[in-house]
């Protein structure tokens, strides 16, 4: 186990710098690489590697990333960590995002020289091909001579109108069944609500439904997933018939619709232009010590 008491000291305390040096030496000895160390500072966030002296300098000037500091085991620096199935899945997603983030800053030649990033990119080839095939299908014109709408834009426009006006699923389904008869032949519009949802979900544009307490006390997930009543206010999780008092188990009183962030990041990093924009705050810092933008401020 690495010594961690030093990270709770004031960075101005000489003991903090001594602790940082001991940390660098211990990591080098454990991993067999005494030169390039994964830097856990607030800016590098265990993505970039630097010489040990630079890592110490970053830790003293910027401090360690708070999320990593709070972990009981620093797995980027040789300590084993036992993850639950859910945590392991999140960690794998996170490593994939980190790989995409790093790949966005390299040219093709530099990327080929990065063995670990190359393996990540190679592992994503199949998924990327599938995504490009879906994208080509989505960009198909609504009908052969249509110039204003693609298959995807038409579906998104209709779905937006449904949401804004509170149409029921049945009314929207009826509209989808009738619209193809009003459009020119060879149109590619889906004819059912089920097909539309399936199509949108293929682009990770879906959402997760999480049951919530009607008084916003908690979310019924993880340890609370099987409860029928809120552990704080005791309100029923399920709808109740106001006339008969019968509980409609399985019909939640309140639902949170959660849009996962990781699939959104993956979609954004697929675009070279957007990937560069996402890295702007990291790659456009001033190196002359002058503050021209909040990103230039170093704690």
């Amino acid at each position: 186990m690495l010594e961690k008491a030093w990270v709770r000291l004031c960075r101005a305390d000489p003991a903090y710098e001594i602790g940082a040096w001991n940390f660098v030496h211990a990591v080098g000895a454990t991993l067999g690489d005494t030169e390039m160390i994964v830097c856990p500072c607030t800016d590098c966030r265990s993505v970039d590697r630097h010489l040990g002296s630079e890592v110490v300098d970053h830790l003293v000037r910027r401090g360690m990333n708070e999320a990593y500091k709070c972990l009981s085991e620093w797995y980027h620096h040789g300590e084993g960590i036992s993850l639950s199935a859910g945590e392991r899945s999140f960690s794998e997603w996170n490593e994939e995002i980190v790989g995409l983030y790093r790949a966005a800053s390299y040219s093709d030649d530099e990327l080929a020289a990065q063995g670990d990033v190359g393996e990540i990119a190679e592992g994503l080839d199949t998924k990327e091909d599938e995504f490009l095939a879906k994208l080509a299908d989505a960009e198909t014109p609504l009908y052969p001579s249509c110039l204003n709408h693609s298959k995807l834009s038409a579906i998104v426009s209709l779905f937006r109108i449904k949401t804004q006006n509170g149409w029921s699923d049945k009314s929207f389904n009826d509209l989808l069944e009738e619209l193809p008869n009003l459009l020119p032949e060879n149109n590619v519009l889906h004819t059912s609500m089920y097909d539309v949802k399936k199509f949108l979900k293929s682009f990770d544009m879906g959402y997760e439904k999480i049951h919530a307490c009607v008084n916003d006390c908690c979310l019924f997930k993880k340890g609370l997933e099987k409860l029928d009543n809120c552990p704080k206010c005791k309100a029923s999780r399920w709808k109740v018939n106001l006339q008969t008092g019968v509980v409609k188990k399985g019909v939640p009183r309140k639902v949170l619709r959660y849009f996962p962030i990781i699939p959104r990041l993956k979609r954004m990093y697929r675009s070279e232009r957007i990937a560069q924009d996402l890295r702007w705050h990291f790659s456009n810092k001033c190196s002359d010590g002058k503050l021209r933008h909040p990103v230039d401020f170093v704690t």
Side-chain angles (χ1 to χ4, degrees), residues 115-151:
D116 51 347
V117 179
E119 289 172 7
I120 293 173
E122 191 174 326
L124 292 174
D125 281 347
T126 302
K127 292 183 179 179
E128 185 68 17
D129 291 341
E130 292 175 359
F131 178 81
L132 292 175
K134 293 175 186 174
L135 192 60
D137 177 51
E139 291 177 344
T140 302
L142 184 58
Y143 50 88
S145 60
C146 181
L147 301 176
N148 298 324
H149 278 291
S150 65
K151 180 179 180 180

Side-chain angles (χ1 to χ4, degrees), residues 21-236:
W21 275 112
N22 291 338
F23 162 74
V24 166
H25 293 319
V27 171
T30 301
L31 300 180
D33 186 352
T34 57
E35 293 188 357
M36 303 303 287
I37 304 294
V38 174
C39 182
C41 77
T42 55
D43 288 341
C44 297
R45 295 177 178 270
S46 300
V47 174
D48 296 328
R49 291 177 178 268
H50 299 290
L51 294 172
S53 58
E54 290 185 65
V55 173
V56 172
D57 180 61
H58 285 193
L59 290 172
V60 172
R61 291 194 298 112
R62 305 171 184 174
M64 184 178 286
N65 177 27
E66 287 296 327
Y68 192 62
K69 182 196 296 186
C70 295
L71 293 177
S72 59
E73 294 177 299
W74 293 347
Y75 56 92
H76 283 298
H77 298 90
E79 291 189 326
I81 184 168
S82 55
L83 299 175
S84 65
E87 291 172 324
R88 187 179 299 110
S89 175
F90 177 81
S91 177
E92 290 170 359
W93 276 104
N94 186 59
E95 290 299 323
E96 188 172 344
I97 294 299
V98 168
L100 290 168
Y101 174 85
R102 293 173 61 189
S105 65
Y106 292 107
S107 66
D108 290 341
D109 292 338
E110 291 171 324
L111 184 60
Q114 302 293 320
D116 51 347
V117 179
E119 289 172 7
I120 293 173
E122 191 174 326
L124 292 174
D125 281 347
T126 302
K127 292 183 179 179
E128 185 68 17
D129 291 341
E130 292 175 359
F131 178 81
L132 292 175
K134 293 175 186 174
L135 192 60
D137 177 51
E139 291 177 344
T140 302
L142 184 58
Y143 50 88
S145 60
C146 181
L147 301 176
N148 298 324
H149 278 291
S150 65
K151 180 179 180 180
L152 178 61
S153 68
I155 288 174
V156 170
S157 296
L158 289 171
F159 210 86
R160 183 180 67 251
I161 295 172
K162 172 195 181 303
T163 303
Q164 290 175 340
N165 294 279
W167 294 353
S168 67
D169 286 357
K170 182 180 183 305
S171 64
F172 189 59
N173 200 70
D174 291 343
L175 175 67
L176 291 173
E177 289 179 359
E178 186 61 29
L179 273 178
N181 298 325
L182 305 177
L183 293 171
E185 292 184 1
N186 300 323
N187 69 80
V188 292
L189 186 66
H190 287 300
T191 58
S192 72
M193 182 73 172
Y194 173 80
D195 290 337
V196 166
K197 286 186 174 181
K198 186 177 179 181
F199 175 75
L200 292 176
K201 196 168 185 179
S202 69
F203 289 91
D204 293 322
M205 295 172 72
Y207 54 81
E208 297 177 15
K209 291 183 179 180
I210 304 174
H211 295 179
C213 169
V214 69
N215 296 316
D216 299 324
C217 300
C218 69
L219 296 175
F220 293 99
K221 59 181 297 188
K222 295 184 178 179
L224 308 179
E225 191 171 359
K226 297 183 179 180
L227 296 183
D228 292 327
N229 297 87
C230 172
K232 183 176 181 181
C233 69
K234 308 304 178 185
S236 173

